[in-house]
């Protein structure tokens, strides 16, 4: 998977390329993709296509990689190594661990988590296991910010990822970090958030709870980052 890099200096003239986003009406709660919509499923399920490309390819969903290798971006190279979500689940079960957490089993929400004094702003994404069983979760989720001009894939922070057994009813979270728009201009408007859990190819669309805009600078693309699952705390 590749990071879709936007040249922010050109965003103002690209406003005509609007992104159609399926926004969640539940205040940041999970909204699943409609499997009956073949075109949507094709763009979001990049793992099924075997290409492993990020959602920067025209707004489709990223595959996420449970390997958690440091230095890779959120649109990493995990689809070929991990296989499909079902294959990954079988592999986890074969090692005596609980099978991988599936997108359909997770209630995914996002909330602003910015702390005063931090140089960048933060959104925390929480995944709660509602699957009725324990499951394994590890690595980096795929994260895309939806913009009017396209989509922006968050880069991995490079922090070491650890494996966790997520018990039924338990939650785990990770952080998305992005620069504040202090330029005085209107900035680049964020219209939504796409999240793909680790070792999964099915993406959910959430409302964006953070600041409304990003600054229009070439540096912005490298400053939108995502931490590994568990990096923003864990709770029951």
């Amino acid at each position: 998977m590749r990071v879709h890099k936007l040249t922010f200096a050109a965003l103002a003239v690209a406003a005509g390329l609007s992104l159609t986003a399926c926004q969640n009406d539940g205040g940041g709660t999970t909204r699943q993709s409609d499997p009956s919509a073949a075109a949507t499923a094709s763009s979001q399920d990049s793992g099924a296509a075997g290409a492993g490309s990020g959602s920067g390819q025209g707004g489709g969903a990223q595959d996420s990689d449970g390997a958690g290798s440091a230095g890779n971006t959120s649109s990493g190279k995990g689809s070929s190594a991990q296989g499909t979500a079902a294959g990954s689940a079988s592999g986890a079960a074969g090692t005596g661990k609980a099978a991988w957490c599936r997108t359909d089993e997770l209630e995914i929400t996002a909330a602003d988590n910015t702390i005063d004094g931090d140089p960048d702003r933060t959104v925390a994404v929480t995944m709660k296991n509602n699957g009725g069983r324990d499951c394994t979760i590890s690595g980096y989720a795929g994260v895309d910010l939806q913009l009017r001009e396209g989509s922006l894939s968050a880069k991995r922070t490079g922090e070491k990822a650890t494996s966790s057994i997520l018990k039924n009813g338990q939650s785990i979270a990770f952080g998305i970090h992005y620069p504040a728009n202090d330029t005085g201009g209107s900035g680049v408007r964020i219209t939504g958030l796409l999240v793909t859990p680790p070792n999964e190819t099915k993406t959910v669309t959430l409302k964006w709870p953070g600041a409304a805009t990003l600054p229009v600078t070439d540096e912005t693309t490298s400053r939108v980052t995502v931490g590994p699952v568990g990096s923003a705390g864990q709770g029951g």
Side-chain angles (χ1 to χ4, degrees):
M1 292 181 286
R2 302 181 293 277
V3 176
H4 177 67
K5 294 187 177 180
L6 296 175
T7 302
F8 277 80
L11 289 177
V13 297
L17 302 177
S18 60
L19 176 70
T20 302
C22 179
Q23 299 266 336
N24 185 345
D25 297 329
T29 57
T30 304
R31 180 170 183 177
Q32 304 292 349
S33 304
D34 184 358
S36 67
T40 301
S42 175
S43 68
Q44 290 191 336
D45 193 354
S46 57
S53 59
S55 64
Q57 307 301 314
Q62 299 177 310
D63 283 347
S64 52
D65 179 6
S69 54
N72 289 336
T73 65
S74 64
S75 52
K77 303 178 180 179
S79 60
S80 60
Q82 296 295 337
T84 64
S88 298
S90 299
T95 62
K97 295 181 180 179
W100 295 115
C101 298
R102 305 297 300 272
T103 301
D104 291 338
E105 298 174 317
L106 298 172
E107 177 187 354
I108 305 177
T109 57
D112 182 56
N113 197 38
T114 300
I115 299 175
D116 290 342
D118 283 356
D120 287 337
R121 301 181 65 90
T122 301
V123 163
V125 177
T126 301
M127 296 182 289
K128 182 177 181 180
N129 179 10
N130 285 338
R133 65 176 180 90
D134 296 352
C135 61
T136 300
I137 194 163
S138 175
Y140 284 77
V143 170
D144 288 320
L145 303 189
Q146 293 179 301
L147 313 175
R148 288 179 175 175
E149 299 78 11
S151 62
L152 173 62
S153 299
K155 293 185 174 181
R156 296 179 182 181
T157 60
E159 297 173 68
K160 183 178 179 180
T162 58
S163 180
S164 300
I165 300 296
L166 198 60
K167 296 184 179 299
N168 185 48
Q170 192 175 29
S171 300
I172 196 166
F174 63 88
I176 303 169
H177 312 285
Y178 63 101
N181 182 17
D182 297 326
T183 62
S186 58
V188 181
R189 182 163 297 278
I190 304 172
T191 61
L193 173 64
L194 299 175
V195 176
T196 309
N199 293 292
E200 270 287 78
T201 56
K202 188 171 184 178
T203 298
V204 296
T205 303
L206 306 174
K207 287 184 177 180
W208 174 251
T213 62
L214 296 170
V216 184
T217 68
D218 290 335
E219 184 186 24
T220 298
T221 55
S222 62
R223 290 180 60 190
V224 178
T225 61
V226 56
V229 169
S231 61
Q234 182 173 348

